[in-house]
Amino acid sequence: AQTVTQSQPEMSVQEAETVTLSCTYDTSESDYYLFWYKQPPSRQMILVIRQEAYKQQNATENRFSVNFQKAAKSFSLKISDSQLGDAAMYFCAYSRTDKLIFGTGTRLQVFP
Amino acid sequence: DVKVTQSSRYLVKRTGEKVFLECVQDMDHENMFWYRQDPGLGLRLIYFSYDVKMKEKGDIPEGYSVSREKKERFSLILESASTNQTSMYLCASSSYREISEAFFGQGTRLTVV
C-alpha cells in the first residue's frame, strides 16, 4: 500500500526568508501524481503545486517549487520569500489513479 | 467558480444519534470522497464513490456508511454516533479524467457529546 510521510509536524520561518517542507512516500508504481495542499485557518484546502512522476523537471508555481527525487521517493516543497499569508497546514499527497493519500501535515508558522 | 459545499461547518450531536453529513458539488464530477481529519493523523479516507450508487471503502469505514443517489450529492452517515467520531470531516470531488484536480469543501467540525 502507498504511504506518505511528513516528518516535520511544525516549522517556522521569518517573513521574506525561504523554508523547505519535507515529504517522502512509498510506492511500487512508476506513474503517479504528487501534490502539496495548503489548509489555512479557514479550513479550505487549496492545491499549491503538483508534480507528474514521469516529468523530470521540478514543478514551480511563483514562490513555490518542489524538489522531486523519484529514486529517493522524496518530494519537498520550497517556499521562497515567505509571507504572513503562507502560515497554514501543508499536506503532501499522492495519487495514482483515484483517491488521494495524505501525509500527516506540517504546520508552518511565519514570523514578521 | 467551482464549488464543493458541505451542509454544516459546525455540528454537535449526542451519542447514539444518527448523523447525516451532506456534500454537494457543482462541477459534474464523477468522483467524490469523504475524509476525516485529526491532529497528527492527517486526512484519512473513509469512503469514496466513482459514480451514482457506487461506493468503495477507504481506510477507516467502520462506523460509517455513505449514499450517492445523485451525481452531485454524496452523503456520509454515522449510524450511531460515538464520541470517538468527534472530528473534522472533509468532502472532496474530482473528475475521472483529471484526478489531480481534487476540490474540497470547507469541512464540518462534528462534536459528539
Side-chain angles (χ1 to χ4, degrees):
Chain A
Q2 295 87 3
T3 58
V4 177
T5 302
Q6 295 179 250
S7 59
Q8 306 156 315
E10 291 191 1
M11 292 283 285
S12 60
V13 64
Q14 207 84 31
E15 205 175 1
E17 298 294 309
T18 295
V19 65
T20 299
L21 308 184
S22 301
C23 173
T24 58
Y25 59 95
D26 188 25
T27 183
S28 58
E29 306 294 342
S30 60
D31 191 19
Y32 48 86
Y33 290 94
L34 295 164
F35 312 86
W36 279 98
Y37 278 87
K38 171 185 177 181
Q39 187 182 43
S42 68
R43 304 186 333 212
Q44 182 68 56
M45 293 282 278
I46 302 164
L47 178 64
V48 175
I49 198 165
R50 66 178 171 186
Q51 174 83 42
E52 290 91 339
Y54 67 87
K55 290 186 178 179
Q56 293 188 338
Q57 187 171 7
N58 289 324
T60 299
E61 289 285 343
N62 300 313
R63 298 182 294 108
F64 298 88
S65 62
V66 298
N67 183 5
F68 174 48
Q69 303 287 330
K70 191 172 184 178
K73 296 180 182 173
S74 171
F75 183 62
S76 60
L77 174 70
K78 185 171 84 171
I79 306 174
S80 304
D81 186 27
S82 296
Q83 300 175 359
L84 294 177
D86 294 333
M89 282 291 290
Y90 286 82
F91 291 97
C92 180
Y94 165 100
S95 176
R96 173 163 148 70
T97 56
D98 43 47
K99 57 187 183 286
L100 288 169
I101 299 169
F102 287 86
T104 52
T106 297
R107 181 173 300 281
L108 178 66
Q109 293 182 300
V110 181
F111 295 103
Chain B
D1 193 20
V2 296
K3 202 168 258 188
V4 177
T5 304
Q6 295 182 229
S7 53
S8 306
R9 279 182 67 84
Y10 299 93
L11 212 51
V12 180
K13 295 293 182 181
R14 294 192 181 278
T15 301
E17 273 192 80
K18 190 169 186 176
V19 181
F20 292 86
L21 303 184
E22 307 285 349
C23 176
V24 177
Q25 50 97 0
D26 65 1
M27 295 163 283
D28 201 34
H29 283 167
E30 296 83 4
N31 306 322
M32 295 189 76
F33 310 88
W34 276 106
Y35 288 89
R36 171 175 171 161
Q37 182 179 1
D38 299 289
L41 297 177
L43 279 72
R44 294 178 292 167
L45 183 65
I46 306 172
Y47 267 98
F48 58 105
S49 169
Y50 292 127
D51 202 350
V52 175
K53 297 191 186 295
M54 295 189 70
K55 60 186 179 184
E56 294 283 342
K57 292 180 180 179
D59 299 318
I60 52 164
E62 297 78 19
Y64 304 94
S65 62
V66 290
S67 171
R68 192 163 180 205
E69 296 295 321
K70 293 185 178 181
K71 190 176 185 180
E72 67 271 18
R73 187 180 296 270
F74 193 35
S75 303
L76 180 68
I77 304 157
L78 286 66
E79 297 289 343
S80 178
S82 64
T83 55
N84 62 13
Q85 293 178 308
T86 292
S87 186
M88 172 78 74
Y89 292 88
L90 287 168
C91 175
S93 73
S94 69
S95 166
Y96 176 79
R97 286 167 296 280
E98 191 64 39
I99 272 292
S100 59
E101 292 287 355
F103 296 89
F104 285 81
Q106 285 193 288
T108 296
R109 187 175 296 281
L110 172 67
T111 302
V112 183
V113 298

